[in-house]
Amino acid sequence: MPVVFVAASQLPTPFGVFTMHGFLEETTGKEHVALTFGDVADGKPVLGRMHSECLTGDALFSLRCDCGFQLEAALRAIAAEGRGVLLYLRQEGRGIGLLNKIRAYELQDGGADTVEANERLGFGADQRDYAICLPMLEHLGISSLKLMTNNPRKVKALGDMGIAVANRVPLQIDHNPHNKKYLATKAGKLGHLLGSLHQGETEESL
Ligand SMILES: Nc1nc2c(ncn2[C@@H]2O[C@H](COP(=O)(O)OP(=O)(O)OP(=O)(O)O)[C@@H](O)[C@H]2O)c(=O)[nH]1
Ligand SMILES: [Zn+2]
């Protein structure tokens, strides 16, 4: 996977001053970002998050999902630890892109759940490929993570590419009336480990 490092700068945030590393995925032209805090190249497991882009949740305050809240919680946790990494991956809409995600939301407004909506549009439930993480982590000197996620498929994908996941740190956000069904579908159909929701449970049973 040809991913090249382009430039790095400081990124001051309300949580602390991160270093921002920019990468270009040459085959697609996608521009990815890593934020680091402290010394992450000392060989010890690094508190980390692989965050998939969600324009609506990360930047537009959407309550339909948990993305924006997870992004903020992850950056706060990294700054509190004094050391960590967040990869901001341009995989909008679980890999289907922003406009198709809006099409999927339109179907969800009509009653479909997040998986059914993707499938009705001819997509898989989750089209993400995490291969881009490897060259980014290698560039940063990171080989072992304490991974902030509720998604076991992320843990497996990193392990399969040789990045040790020393442990999984749950990153669970409170429900609201708008994201309750979405979170239940993630737990029931996509295998996410969400505390008060059990695998196999469907939104109808809540
Ligand atoms: N296709 C589609 N994508 C969505 C929808 N809601 C959120 N997303 C995208 O899903 C991605 C976030 O994935 P999640 O499944 O919430 O979380 P995750 O990253 O797999 O797992 P965590 O690490 O636990 O957060 C982002 O790219 C969002 O844009 C939806 O209803 N349909
Ligand atoms: Zn989201």
Side-chain angles (χ1 to χ4, degrees), residues 54 57 65 67 101 105:
C54 177
C65 61
C67 305
K101 186 175 82 169
Y105 279 164

Side-chain angles (χ1 to χ4, degrees), residues 49 52-54 65-67 70 91-94 96 101 104-105 108 114 118 128 130 148-151 154 182 186 192:
R49 166 127 184 104
S52 302
E53 177 178 15
C54 177
C65 61
D66 51 352
C67 305
Q70 288 183 315
Q91 311 168 307
E92 174 62 68
R94 295 197 298 272
I96 67 175
K101 186 175 82 169
Y105 279 164
Q108 290 172 63
T114 185
N118 262 35
R128 284 174 290 182
Y130 296 101
M148 291 183 275
T149 185
N150 310 313
N151 184 348
K154 284 187 185 172
Y182 171 68
K186 289 212 304 189
H192 286 240

Side-chain angles (χ1 to χ4, degrees), residues 10-153:
Q10 290 197 335
L11 186 73
T13 74
F15 324 113
V17 181
F18 288 75
T19 303
M20 175 166 63
H21 313 255
F23 296 86
L24 176 65
E25 186 181 345
E26 288 183 310
T27 44
T28 61
K30 284 190 176 173
E31 299 167 324
H32 304 281
V33 164
L35 299 184
T36 59
F37 200 97
D39 179 8
V40 293
D42 60 8
K44 297 181 198 144
V46 176
L47 184 63
R49 166 127 184 104
M50 314 290 109
H51 191 85
S52 302
E53 177 178 15
C54 177
L55 181 83
T56 46
D58 297 340
L60 300 179
F61 310 101
S62 172
L63 297 177
R64 294 189 76 125
C65 61
D66 51 352
C67 305
F69 305 104
Q70 288 183 315
L71 179 61
E72 179 173 339
L75 292 177
R76 281 185 191 281
I78 289 168
E81 174 123 329
R83 182 169 169 276
V85 62
L86 182 137
L87 299 192
Y88 193 85
L89 306 168
R90 310 300 297 280
Q91 311 168 307
E92 174 62 68
R94 295 197 298 272
I96 67 175
L98 177 61
L99 298 183
N100 285 323
K101 186 175 82 169
I102 297 173
R103 289 192 177 99
Y105 279 164
E106 193 173 66
L107 293 173
Q108 290 172 63
D109 288 345
D113 70 30
T114 185
V115 170
E116 291 162 351
N118 262 35
E119 288 170 352
R120 276 191 218 166
L121 292 170
F123 299 113
D126 189 342
Q127 305 215 151
R128 284 174 290 182
D129 176 356
Y130 296 101
I132 42 172
C133 298
L134 185 60
M136 294 171 77
L137 292 170
E138 280 177 350
H139 174 84
L140 299 169
I142 297 170
S143 58
S144 174
L145 288 169
K146 297 184 279 181
L147 189 66
M148 291 183 275
T149 185
N150 310 313
N151 184 348
R153 275 165 299 126

Side-chain angles (χ1 to χ4, degrees), residues 172-199:
Q172 209 166 319
I173 306 302
D174 288 345
H175 303 173
N176 69 53
H178 307 281
N179 70 16
K180 188 175 176 185
K181 173 175 175 176
Y182 171 68
L183 294 176
T185 304
K186 289 212 304 189
K189 289 191 172 178
L190 292 172
H192 286 240
L193 305 165
L194 296 172
S196 60
L197 303 164
H198 303 293
Q199 274 183 286

